[in-house]
Amino acid sequence: MDEFFMRQALAEAEEALKAGEAPVGCAIALNGEIIARARNRREELRDPTAHAEMLAIRAAAEALGNWRLYDCDLYVTLEPCPMCAGAISQARVRRLVFGAYDEKQGCAGSVYRIPEDPAFIHFCRIDGGVLEAECRLLLVRFFDAARR
């Protein structure tokens, strides 16, 4: 099931790539169904907080009529940054699943593990590396093109 939902996030990431955004996509599932999805839109919206995870969390909260996403699983193609990892924790997401690791600023395993930090009130299980090669390939394509 993880691969199915990660493929939905990958489809969002591909749309971000087509739009000239960093190719990160996110899908949020509840009871085996997607309730929200989003892609990075920082350039389009001129908003440093318009990461795929932030936009998907907002959409999921709207869909549920509640900011607490207790029984939701969040799938994202790139390990969340500190801001997004904090938002995932604050939203009370049940489980975070990501594709590619981010060794520079990933806060779900690489640099730090915000959603699993016992100092915070909510614990969110983390599983990384799902469809990692496919997720990383989109990032490589984006950054190779940007360097040309």
Side-chain angles (χ1 to χ4, degrees), residues 75-124:
Y75 294 82
V76 63
T77 57
L78 180 63
E79 180 181 356
C81 71
M83 174 183 68
C84 293
I88 289 164
S89 181
Q90 289 297 311
R92 312 298 197 262
V93 169
R94 176 178 65 180
R95 182 169 169 244
L96 162 62
V97 181
F98 68 86
Y101 286 85
D102 183 349
E103 294 81 16
K104 293 182 181 176
Q105 64 176 358
C107 282
S110 291
V111 176
Y112 194 64
R113 295 181 79 85
I114 290 173
E116 289 183 342
D117 189 321
F120 300 117
I121 194 167
H122 179 74
F123 178 89
C124 174

